[in-house]
Amino acid sequence: MSVSGGSPVFGRPRRARPVHLLSALALAVVLTLTAGSPAAAETAEPATAKFPPGFLWGVATSGFQSEGSFPDSNWTRYADRKATGVTDPYGNSVDFRHRYPSDLKLARGLGANVFRTSVEWSRVEPRRGFRDPKAIAYYDDLVRRIKAAGMRPMLTLDHWVYPGWVADQGAWDNPRTQDDWLRNARFVVDRYKRQGVVWITFNEASAYIYKELTARPMDLGQMLKMRDALVRTHRDAYDMIHAVDPGAPVSSNVAYGSPINGIFDAALFNEVTDKLDFIGIDYYYGANLQNGTAAYALTGEFWKIDPEPEGLYYVLKNYQRRLPDLPVYIVENGMSTDNGKPRTDGYTRSDHLRDHIYWIQRAMADGVKMMGYNYWSLTDNYEWGSYRPRFGLYTVDALTDPSLARRPTDAVPTYRSIIVDRGVPAGYVPVRKPGWCSIEDPVATCLGTTPTPPAGYRRAE
């Protein structure tokens, strides 16, 4: 999972000076308030827009979070010294590094046709100029098996992790890191070109910067330098990937972060809209005047957040309005439980999945061009310092079960049926009723034009 708990102000709009935090917050609010109203949702038939044949249904994970046996990197160091937010040792995570053949079978058993992971720079180049043949053989086999299972690889080039030797040279403070990063990226892209890969350059730039800010830590100047470096590097990477792997889609997924998303977008998205082939969105939680539990993200207690499925509808509409020519891919969507225990309100992983798919179908009925959807994640994994938040379709007791058994949750058959049926059934009644005055589109929802779903909610309380 890739959602940060809070965010600093991220740099400056293109060709402008750095903005003050309060100014950025005000700008974010103004942009949201003027984003427009999805009034057509009121007349759209519920869930009538089935997902098209060939739609990209996926599961997502990342190398560091799941692989285990990880080489020296910024994040192995953060875990070892118990940086801010780290409560559990990394250990061997869920050992995807050695269990990927069986995990890929689980993914394919869902009916997924996309498998997202990251090719970890720390593993490929553990020392400057030395590429580890065993690591390369592992990724070669992983990509081969993904394709053999009938799935398309979605490969992330940077999911917040870089080699220890890059940390030693100053990480993104040092301009040399941009050249080093691009050199490694070109090696990876060249190796897996012409294999139908969907490329992600940087995973959630806003959360990446925030995690570095708190775990390294960085000062404001370093933060702004990192932000500018990520923007420049993504732009160069986009051109490089299209030169090396023509026709391959390239993007950088943006973290949706509720009221301060204008600041989140300023981390990278606003500066690279001309260097994206699709809009990649990660959506986990929203907020409205009846539900302010998203604040628990600030403490990392994601399981205490009351999901706002209808917020995804507004997010999809707003990003599509901003970039109408691009399709939209939900790169990550999921729900945390507390160590795998049932939620106290009775809301299940299946409820959460169906409700979000329902609102995606409503958005499609209102003109959003959906390209794909990934569930985060296939299995539980290391949530950037803790194994307590559980996001997996298959749960794994990484701290207490030496066998690291993959145990299916209730959402496994649910996701399988959604893929087969190309959506939720006609007449599906969501569990969560839309809240009043959603921060995702306050003009529409605060004025009483919240999209009306069918009668008969069984809202989880």
Side-chain angles (χ1 to χ4, degrees):
M1 187 252 195
S2 309
V3 174
S4 68
S7 168
V9 57
F10 290 117
R12 53 185 188 270
R14 189 177 299 173
R15 301 184 186 91
R17 291 175 297 180
V19 294
H20 189 273
L21 175 59
L22 293 178
S23 299
L25 284 171
L27 177 62
V29 171
V30 169
L31 289 175
T32 304
L33 288 172
T34 58
S37 169
E42 297 175 60
T43 57
E45 291 296 324
T48 54
K50 287 290 186 181
F51 292 91
F55 185 77
L56 299 179
W57 293 103
V59 289
T61 187
S62 83
F64 175 77
Q65 289 178 268
S66 63
E67 285 177 348
S69 59
F70 209 80
D72 182 36
S73 71
N74 59 326
W75 264 97
T76 52
R77 295 181 183 189
Y78 300 158
D80 286 347
R81 65 175 171 80
K82 293 190 176 180
T84 301
V86 173
T87 58
D88 293 329
Y90 177 74
N92 203 30
S93 187
V94 295
D95 195 28
F96 179 80
R97 169 71 177 78
H98 298 100
R99 299 168 192 247
Y100 65 92
S102 56
D103 280 351
L104 292 178
K105 289 180 181 178
L106 295 179
R108 188 53 186 160
L110 296 166
N113 55 20
V114 170
F115 190 90
R116 180 197 178 204
T117 188
S118 51
V119 178
E120 292 294 339
W121 185 10
S122 304
R123 196 178 290 282
V124 171
E125 191 180 9
R127 301 189 301 277
R128 177 189 288 281
F130 170 74
R131 295 194 175 106
D132 187 341
K134 291 182 179 180
I136 294 169
Y138 155 61
Y139 286 119
D140 285 352
D141 193 55
L142 174 58
V143 171
R144 181 187 68 79
R145 287 178 182 267
I146 290 171
K147 290 175 61 64
M151 296 184 290
R152 186 173 182 176
M154 176 181 274
L155 300 182
T156 306
L157 294 168
D158 190 321
H159 204 117
W160 309 354
V161 181
Y162 46 79
W165 60 267
V166 173
D168 291 339
Q169 74 181 22
W172 293 100
D173 295 354
N174 188 339
R176 186 175 186 182
T177 296
Q178 297 172 52
D179 294 334
D180 290 333
W181 191 99
L182 287 164
R183 174 176 49 78
N184 174 73
R186 186 181 183 95
F187 171 80
V188 173
V189 174
D190 189 60
R191 195 162 190 91
Y192 303 122
K193 64 187 177 185
R194 295 192 294 272
Q195 299 198 54
V197 175
V198 179
W199 295 102
I200 299 290
T201 56
F202 294 102
N203 178 77
E204 293 186 2
S206 59
Y208 189 6
I209 294 170
Y210 176 72
K211 288 294 186 183
E212 287 289 280
L213 183 73
T214 56
R216 282 184 61 184
M218 299 188 297
D219 60 30
L220 179 62
Q222 291 172 300
M223 183 188 74
L224 296 177
K225 188 177 294 185
M226 179 177 177
R227 181 263 187 185
D228 289 346
L230 296 186
V231 169
R232 286 192 297 268
T233 306
H234 169 87
R235 296 184 67 81
D236 288 345
Y238 178 90
D239 293 339
M240 178 273 291
I241 293 170
H242 278 288
V244 175
D245 194 10
V250 183
S251 192
S252 175
N253 50 319
V254 62
Y256 180 77
S258 286
I260 56 173
N261 212 65
I263 299 174
F264 279 32
D265 286 352
L268 183 139
F269 181 82
N270 291 345
E271 308 300 316
V272 301
T273 54
D274 60 325
K275 299 288 185 179
L276 301 172
D277 296 325
F278 60 92
I279 306 167
I281 296 173
D282 294 0
Y283 182 86
Y284 288 92
Y285 54 85
N288 58 62
L289 292 188
Q290 295 172 293
N291 177 15
T293 59
Y296 282 112
L298 296 171
T299 62
E301 298 172 289
F302 299 106
W303 56 88
K304 293 184 178 180
I305 297 173
D306 291 334
E308 189 196 5
E310 77 276 12
L312 180 54
Y313 170 90
Y314 300 113
V315 170
L316 293 173
K317 289 284 287 182
N318 286 338
Y319 277 98
Q320 185 74 92
R321 187 179 297 111
R322 293 167 63 183
L323 297 174
D325 295 332
L326 296 184
V328 183
Y329 198 127
I330 298 174
V331 177
E332 295 180 21
N333 174 238
M335 182 183 78
S336 169
T337 60
D338 185 7
N339 265 329
K341 298 188 293 251
R343 287 177 57 95
T344 57
D345 61 5
Y347 195 61
T348 68
R349 194 173 296 281
S350 286
D351 293 335
H352 181 276
L353 176 56
R354 289 192 190 99
D355 282 4
H356 282 79
I357 295 297
Y358 167 87
W359 286 108
I360 297 169
Q361 290 177 252
R362 291 290 300 273
M364 290 169 59
D366 287 343
V368 173
K369 298 178 290 193
M370 291 299 304
M371 172 183 173
Y373 171 92
N374 293 342
Y375 193 88
W376 182 278
S377 57
L378 177 64
T379 67
D380 297 329
N381 49 41
Y382 191 64
E383 184 49 39
W384 307 107
S386 176
Y387 287 107
R388 185 173 179 179
R390 303 283 189 91
F391 287 88
L393 291 165
Y394 287 84
T395 194
V396 184
D397 294 324
L399 294 178
T400 61
D401 179 11
S403 73
L404 296 175
R406 275 68 166 146
R407 293 178 285 114
T409 67
D410 63 297
V412 166
T414 298
Y415 196 23
R416 188 179 295 127
S417 66
I418 285 171
I419 293 173
V420 169
D421 296 335
R422 293 165 46 203
V424 295
Y428 172 73
V429 178
V431 174
R432 294 276 181 180
K433 184 178 180 179
W436 181 72
C437 203
S438 172
I439 195 68
E440 283 76 50
D441 199 328
V443 168
T445 59
C446 299
L447 296 178
T449 57
T450 301
T452 304
Y457 277 102
R458 56 181 184 89
R459 182 181 175 104
E461 300 294 347

